[in-house]
């Protein structure tokens, strides 16, 4: 490792750094506006350039004037003028700038070298931990997450121009919606959270939905649909409970599709101790999992076992988990179903997810499975759906005991055609389920 790094300077461009700082001193308003989200002081290689850039951006953010005199005064007040090279160096920076109008090009060069240095640092850190005989799994997990974040920054470092459109052009373009995963119910990249009291056996309902998707049948109409690659992530239930739940569902899938279906479509990841998606190790586990399976539909839960709370607050916890899951949805384009708990509610209170209020606003669909009778349940919205779908509202649960050795005669959940009173949306009647998706 020493031979590899000996006599090699980390990648950097002193010319680009000097040119950008000179451009800031010459036309500060325009340049700072163009680069404010592109790079930070840490992206500069030399300490003096980091110091000057930080002083200029602080002045600009406060609405103050930015020029040689004000930057020098700010550095002097912070006792950093000598570190920055003094007034003479600031004057020299302006003379080093070929053209202030090329500031974004200089910034791109600086960021490119900064990302290269960070990538090298990650690689050297991995090697060092290897020489120290640290746990190989932890080394690989930490490195994978660090490199993933660098890759994300590299993809977004060019600023907002790629996402800026004339509205007329944007509206005129052919924006196709994401493909259906379950016609009429879920599209790729949609998020759905289902909550319920424990008695509502929401786990069985959610697993029936994804097993049917894997087998290529609609979970409520039983009509054939395109089969999907499904990943179930269980971070709570013991193995015997999983088997008791899944055995009758697998039997019914085989019975419904007698010619057979691709069992590789249904993958299962089991770790009942829970996973901390706020940690680099937990995130790396899931990244590796999604890369191997490449699912169209992911069912995971329960939510509280996806982040081990060791302090802080529920809001911070929710923010970090949501950010990671959104990155994964965007990268792998899967629909996401999450099982979650709900606090106790009075009859006059609207059900809501347990924990942070951020979970109430995050998914496209949020439902509570509420028991109306021993066999009748109603899906109630705890947030208005942001997408058009034909999720059935009135459901009936079969009372055949889970885990029995007897072969089940029907799926445990079905649309309840005998349910009294109204359905919330006309499209969710039995005749219309799935029509939105063309099936």
């Amino acid at each position: 490792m020493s031979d590899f790094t000996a006599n090699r300077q980390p990648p950097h461009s002193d010319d680009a750094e000097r040119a950008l700082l000179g451009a800031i001193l010459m036309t500060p308003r325009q340049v700072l506006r163009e680069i404010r989200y592109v790079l930070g002081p840490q992206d500069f290689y030399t300490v003096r350039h980091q110091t000057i850039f930080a002083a200029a951006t602080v002045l600009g953010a406060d609405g103050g004037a930015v020029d040689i005199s004000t930057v020098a005064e700010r550095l002097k007040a912070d006792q950093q003028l000598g570190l920055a090279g003094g007034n003479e160096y600031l004057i020299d920076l302006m003379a080093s700038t070929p053209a202030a109008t090329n500031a974004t090009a200089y910034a791109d060069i600086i960021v490119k070298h900064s990302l290269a240095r960070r990538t090298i640092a990650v690689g050297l850190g991995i090697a060092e931990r290897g020489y120290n005989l640290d746990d190989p799994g932890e080394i690989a997990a930490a490195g994978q997450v660090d490199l993933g974040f660098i890759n994300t920054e590299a993809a977004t470092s060019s600023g907002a121009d790629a996402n800026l459109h004339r509205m007329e052009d944007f509206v005129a373009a052919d924006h196709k919606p994401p493909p259906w995963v379950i016609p009429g119910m879920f599209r790729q990249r949609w998020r759905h959270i289902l909550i319920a009291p424990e008695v509502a056996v929401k786990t069985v309902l959610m697993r029936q939905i994804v097993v049917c998707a894997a087998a290529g049948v609609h979970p409520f109409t039983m009509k054939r649909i395109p089969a999907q690659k499904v990943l179930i992530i269980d971070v709570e239930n013991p193995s015997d409970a999983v088997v008791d739940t899944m055995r009758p569902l697998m039997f019914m899938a085989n019975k419904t599709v007698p010619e057979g279906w691709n069992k590789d479509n249904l993958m299962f990841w089991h770790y009942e101790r829970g996973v901390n998606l706020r940690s680099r190790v937990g995130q790396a586990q899931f990244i590796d999992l999604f890369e191997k399976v490449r699912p169209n539909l992911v069912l995971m839960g329960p939510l509280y076992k996806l982040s081990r709370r060791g302090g802080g607050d529920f809001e911070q916890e929710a923010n970090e988990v949501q950010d990671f899951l959104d990155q994964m949805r965007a990268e792998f384009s899967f629909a996401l179903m999450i099982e979650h708990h709900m606090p106790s509610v009075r009859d006059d209170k609207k059900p809501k997810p347990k924990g942070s209020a951020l979970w109430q606003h995050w998914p496209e669909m949020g439902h509570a499975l509420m028991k109306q009778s021993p066999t009748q349940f109603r899906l109630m919205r705890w947030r208005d759906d942001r997408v058009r779908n034909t999720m059935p509202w009135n459901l009936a649960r079969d009372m055949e005991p889970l885990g029995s050795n007897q072969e089940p005669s029907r799926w445990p959940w079905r649309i309840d055609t005998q349910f009294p009173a109204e359905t919330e949306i006309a499209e969710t009647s039995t005749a219309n389920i799935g029509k939105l998706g063309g099936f």
Side-chain angles (χ1 to χ4, degrees):
M1 184 167 62
S2 58
D3 291 341
F4 179 77
T5 58
N7 302 318
R8 301 184 74 174
Q9 270 198 326
H12 68 284
S13 172
D14 192 67
D15 289 342
E17 292 186 11
R18 288 168 57 88
L20 179 60
L21 293 174
I24 292 173
L25 295 174
M26 294 168 64
T27 57
R29 287 184 180 274
Q30 176 183 342
V31 173
L32 289 176
R33 184 175 63 249
E34 290 176 348
I35 67 169
R36 57 180 173 173
Y37 298 125
V38 176
L39 79 172
Q42 73 281 356
D43 291 307
F44 290 80
Y45 178 66
T46 64
V47 175
R48 67 165 54 178
H49 292 165
Q50 294 173 5
T51 305
I52 296 169
F53 182 81
T57 53
V58 167
L59 285 170
D62 291 341
V66 180
D67 56 31
I68 288 179
S69 297
T70 58
V71 171
E73 190 63 27
R74 174 77 190 202
L75 292 168
K76 184 177 180 181
D78 294 337
Q79 298 183 340
Q80 293 182 323
L81 184 57
L83 179 64
N87 288 309
E88 296 80 6
Y89 191 70
L90 297 179
I91 295 171
D92 188 47
L93 287 175
M94 293 182 65
S96 302
T97 303
T101 54
N102 293 333
T104 55
Y106 306 144
D108 287 343
I109 295 171
I110 295 168
V111 170
K112 178 181 178 181
H113 286 85
S114 173
L115 292 172
R117 292 196 301 273
R118 290 174 58 187
T119 303
I120 292 170
V122 171
L124 293 176
I126 291 172
E128 186 67 31
R129 293 186 64 181
Y131 279 113
N132 292 336
L133 299 180
D134 291 355
D135 180 81
E138 292 186 3
I139 297 173
Q144 186 175 18
V145 172
D146 287 341
L147 291 172
F149 285 135
I150 292 173
N151 184 56
T152 299
E153 290 189 30
T156 59
S157 63
S158 58
D161 285 355
N163 299 311
L164 180 64
H165 312 272
R166 283 201 321 159
M167 181 56 76
E168 182 179 8
D169 298 335
F170 188 82
V171 172
D174 183 17
H175 297 285
K176 295 182 179 179
W180 287 108
V181 175
I182 301 178
M185 289 178 56
F186 299 117
R187 290 187 185 273
Q188 288 182 6
R189 298 197 297 276
W190 284 8
R191 298 161 293 188
H192 179 230
I193 296 180
L194 180 64
I195 63 174
E198 287 302 315
V199 71
V201 290
K202 60 185 179 297
T203 300
V204 180
L205 172 60
M206 300 185 85
R207 292 190 179 183
Q208 174 175 320
I209 291 172
V210 300
V211 168
C212 285
V217 293
H218 194 284
F220 298 110
T221 67
M222 295 302 141
K223 294 180 179 179
R224 297 301 175 90
I225 63 174
Q228 303 294 326
K229 189 78 168 184
V230 171
L231 172 63
I232 300 175
I233 298 174
D234 189 323
V235 291
E236 180 179 53
N237 295 299
S239 298
D240 59 325
V242 173
V243 172
D244 285 347
T245 300
M246 293 301 299
R247 181 182 284 125
L249 296 176
M250 295 292 288
F251 176 86
M252 286 306 303
N254 294 334
K255 182 178 179 180
T256 305
V257 188
E259 70 275 17
W261 54 281
N262 186 359
K263 303 304 191 295
D264 289 341
N265 281 344
L266 187 59
M267 303 301 291
F268 179 60
W269 193 80
H270 184 221
Y271 195 74
E272 62 185 273
R273 290 190 298 174
V275 175
N276 184 7
L277 292 184
R278 303 172 69 190
S279 74
R280 294 193 302 176
V281 172
Q283 291 175 357
Q285 284 180 313
F286 272 42
I287 292 171
D288 184 59
L289 189 61
F290 297 144
E291 286 181 340
K292 287 179 179 177
V293 178
R294 294 284 169 173
N296 304 115
L297 176 60
V298 174
L299 168 60
M300 65 173 63
L303 185 58
Y304 81 97
K305 293 292 288 287
L306 294 172
S307 61
R308 297 199 191 103
R309 206 166 156 265
D313 56 38
F314 285 118
E315 308 305 309
Q316 179 68 19
E317 175 184 315
N319 262 320
E320 293 177 12
V321 174
Q322 288 174 6
D323 284 348
F324 174 73
L325 292 177
D326 282 339
Q327 287 182 40
M328 295 300 97
R329 286 187 313 112
E331 181 171 349
F332 295 100
S333 294
F334 53 71
L336 177 61
M337 299 175 63
I338 298 180
E339 178 187 347
H340 192 23
H341 295 317
M342 60 178 283
S344 305
V345 294
R346 301 196 312 267
D347 291 340
D348 60 338
K349 292 289 186 179
K350 187 176 182 180
K352 62 181 181 180
K354 194 172 185 177
S356 168
L358 293 175
W359 293 114
Q360 299 178 41
H361 310 292
W362 183 63
E364 278 72 28
M365 296 182 290
H367 299 132
L369 184 62
M370 306 302 292
K371 188 175 183 179
Q372 308 295 308
S373 76
T375 60
Q376 292 178 313
F377 292 78
R378 173 167 285 176
L379 279 178
M380 300 177 61
R381 292 189 184 100
W382 45 262
R383 65 150 299 141
D384 290 335
D385 293 347
R386 287 189 288 184
V387 290
R388 188 165 174 247
N389 67 89
T390 55
M391 178 73 73
W393 300 106
N394 301 325
L395 298 170
R397 177 170 67 97
D398 186 61
M399 296 302 291
E400 287 183 330
L402 292 175
S404 67
N405 291 324
Q406 296 180 349
E407 295 177 348
S409 59
R410 54 188 176 269
W411 289 94
W413 286 95
R414 63 187 184 278
I415 297 173
D416 187 1
T417 57
Q418 306 301 318
F419 203 99
E422 76 292 342
T423 56
E424 296 192 38
I425 298 179
E427 288 172 338
T428 63
S429 65
T430 306
N432 287 323
I433 291 294
K435 282 188 177 180
L436 180 59
F439 287 80

